[in-house]
């Protein structure tokens, strides 16, 4: 099978995507902030499924980190055939009276990073004639509290 890159791979849905794709024999690139958790997961996935697992620690609110992940997506060596845009988090505040920096942090991770990574991925996939991008949303997109619903929709 091909290689899948998963953001937010160390917990929640990202973790489940990692297990499902590994057991379906996809090599993986795992992206999340915590290197130790990623390396532990990579070892477990490799041991259980025998697939190659690359660890790429990155904070998707940091533009230089997003650029590193985008560069990996553009790489012709071991190309990525599936991008799973999964990273996200709850803002845990109301919009009115809340901290605008928290809102901005959410936009960086759940909107800007998703756009930059998708752009890098499809610009590598289209010339190859294959590939896919999966953008993970949330049932929280149906809520009307704050701006999380807009970010994750």
């Amino acid at each position: 099978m091909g290689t899948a890159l998963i953001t937010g791979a160390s917990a929640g849905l990202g973790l489940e995507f990692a297990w499902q794709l590994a057991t379906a024999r996809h090599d993986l690139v795992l992206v999340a902030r915590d290197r130790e958790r990623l390396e532990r997961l990579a070892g477990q996935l490799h041991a259980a499924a025998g697939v190659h697992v690359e660890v790429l620690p990155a904070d998707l609110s940091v533009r230089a980190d997003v650029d590193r992940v985008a560069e990996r997506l553009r790489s012709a060596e071991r190309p990525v055939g599936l991008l799973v845009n999964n990273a996200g988090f709850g803002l845990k505040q109301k919009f009115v009276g809340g901290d605008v920096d928290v809102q901005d942090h959410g936009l960086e991770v759940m909107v800007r990073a998703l756009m930059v990574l998708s752009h890098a991925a499809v610009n590598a996939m289209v010339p190859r004639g294959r590939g896919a991008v999966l953008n993970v949303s949330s049932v929280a997109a149906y809520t009307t509290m704050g701006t999380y619903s807009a970010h994750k929709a």
Side-chain angles (χ1 to χ4, degrees):
M1 292 308 223
T3 299
L5 185 146
I6 307 166
T7 67
S10 63
L13 288 173
L15 178 62
E16 183 62 25
F17 275 110
W19 278 103
Q20 292 296 322
L21 289 165
T23 57
R25 309 289 299 147
H26 292 269
D27 290 336
L28 300 173
V29 180
L30 305 177
V31 177
R33 292 172 293 179
D34 189 325
R35 177 184 291 277
E36 186 177 312
R37 282 176 76 179
L38 287 174
E39 288 177 353
R40 185 171 48 250
L41 175 59
Q44 293 168 343
L45 292 166
H46 177 73
V51 296
H52 176 79
V53 185
E54 180 181 339
V55 168
L56 184 54
D59 181 339
L60 297 183
S61 71
V62 176
R63 291 186 177 202
D65 285 8
V66 173
D67 291 343
R68 279 189 309 104
V69 178
E71 189 59 36
R72 176 60 184 89
L73 287 162
R74 286 189 285 270
S75 174
E77 184 179 320
R78 290 193 23 256
V80 171
L82 172 64
L83 166 61
V84 180
N85 280 314
N86 171 70
F89 58 93
L91 301 178
K92 299 180 181 149
Q93 71 172 23
K94 292 183 180 184
F95 183 72
V96 175
D99 183 347
V100 75
D101 288 337
V102 172
Q103 298 293 329
D104 190 50
H105 183 78
L107 282 171
E108 286 290 325
V109 173
M110 296 181 279
V111 178
R112 184 183 182 281
L114 184 139
M115 176 194 65
V116 170
L117 299 181
S118 295
H119 186 265
V122 299
N123 277 299
M125 292 171 182
V126 167
R128 289 194 310 263
R130 64 185 176 281
V133 176
L134 174 62
N135 293 324
V136 178
S137 185
S138 170
V139 294
Y142 292 114
T143 66
T144 58
M145 185 181 104
T147 57
Y148 180 78
S149 58
H151 295 157
K152 284 302 277 186

